[in-house]
Amino acid sequence: MNHQNNNSLEEREISSKLIYDGSVVHLYVDQISLPNGKPAVREYVKHVGAVAVLPLTDQKEVLCVRQYRYAHRCILTEIPAGKLDSKDEDHVEAALRELREETGALPQTLTHLGTYRSTPAILDEKVDLYLAENLTFGDTDPDEDEFLEIVKIPLSELLEQVMNGEITDGKTQVAVLKTAEILRRRGESIGK
């Protein structure tokens, strides 16, 4: 097994060129130096970051959203999520905003589940994941270009859908698996 120290793995930027500067993504092409000193090119996308929330009811149901994802040309079932308004936005406030806008839910308890990096080879987006519990409900307020269907799925059923490949959204998979493990460690059931 080949173990190397971190310095021997680091790639260094020689130059960076912004190719496309969109409202959501920013595409760069960088000339770099590999750990062995040889030159290479890296194409990657910068993103402001995002939050995602797994809202869990007292009945151990998860509020999910179904929405059409244009890049994949299909409807996906996901936990509520959204991009940050800015790199400096407080992630907890963003999570609460997205949860309220998409589901109308307000949690008394919000637990950070960790940070998820979806496609680290080409995208610098980080998604902070949260578990929302002890929910109360108000009105939803989706963005103008957001068309959602809210569905309640028992956590046990959602876990099965993750395990059998029906749920293909990565952030949802990670949040469901972490939530199931948190409940197991608390000695709580995940439902039927």
Side-chain angles (χ1 to χ4, degrees):
M1 189 179 252
N2 184 10
H3 293 281
Q4 299 179 344
N5 66 39
N6 287 340
N7 292 339
S8 67
L9 297 176
E10 192 172 321
E11 299 175 350
R12 289 186 304 107
E13 177 186 313
I14 304 301
S15 67
S16 183
K17 183 176 181 185
L18 177 62
I19 302 298
Y20 175 75
D21 195 21
S23 61
V24 176
V25 298
H26 315 281
L27 174 62
Y28 287 81
V29 176
D30 288 8
Q31 303 298 318
I32 65 147
S33 176
L34 295 171
N36 64 5
K38 292 186 179 179
V41 174
R42 294 289 182 255
E43 296 176 1
Y44 65 99
V45 174
K46 287 189 176 186
H47 185 279
V48 71
V51 293
V53 184
L54 187 145
L56 187 64
T57 69
D58 293 343
Q59 294 76 37
K60 302 294 190 252
E61 295 174 315
V62 179
L63 299 176
C64 291
V65 293
R66 296 185 73 238
Q67 61 185 318
Y68 187 80
R69 291 300 196 179
Y70 185 81
H72 293 278
R73 305 298 200 274
C74 66
I75 296 169
L76 294 179
T77 300
E78 307 172 33
I79 58 174
K83 72 178 184 66
L84 300 174
D85 286 341
S86 73
K87 282 263 188 206
D88 301 327
E89 183 177 15
D90 181 271
H91 293 199
V92 169
E93 288 177 16
L96 294 172
R97 179 192 69 235
E98 289 299 327
L99 180 60
R100 184 190 55 75
E101 285 178 1
E102 294 186 11
T103 69
L106 296 166
Q108 288 182 352
T109 309
L110 192 66
T111 305
H112 188 246
L113 296 175
T115 301
Y116 173 72
R117 296 174 193 243
S118 62
T119 48
I122 61 168
L123 179 63
D124 78 345
E125 178 188 42
K126 292 184 223 173
V127 182
D128 274 295
L129 303 173
Y130 294 90
L131 167 60
E133 297 174 281
N134 305 308
L135 306 174
T136 57
F137 294 91
D139 293 331
T140 61
D141 185 23
D143 294 337
E144 272 186 23
D145 62 349
E146 214 169 26
F147 297 90
L148 309 169
E149 176 188 353
I150 300 168
V151 292
K152 282 185 185 177
I153 303 173
L155 179 58
S156 58
E157 186 179 316
L158 194 56
L159 179 59
E160 260 322 295
Q161 291 176 1
V162 166
M163 295 306 293
N164 70 24
E166 290 176 63
I167 300 295
T168 57
D169 175 60
K171 68 185 176 301
T172 300
Q173 291 175 344
V174 170
V176 167
L177 292 169
K178 284 190 164 196
T179 297
E181 178 60 13
I182 285 171
L183 294 182
R184 185 192 68 78
R185 289 181 183 189
R186 286 183 191 165
E188 295 180 33
S189 166
I190 64 167
K192 302 173 193 174

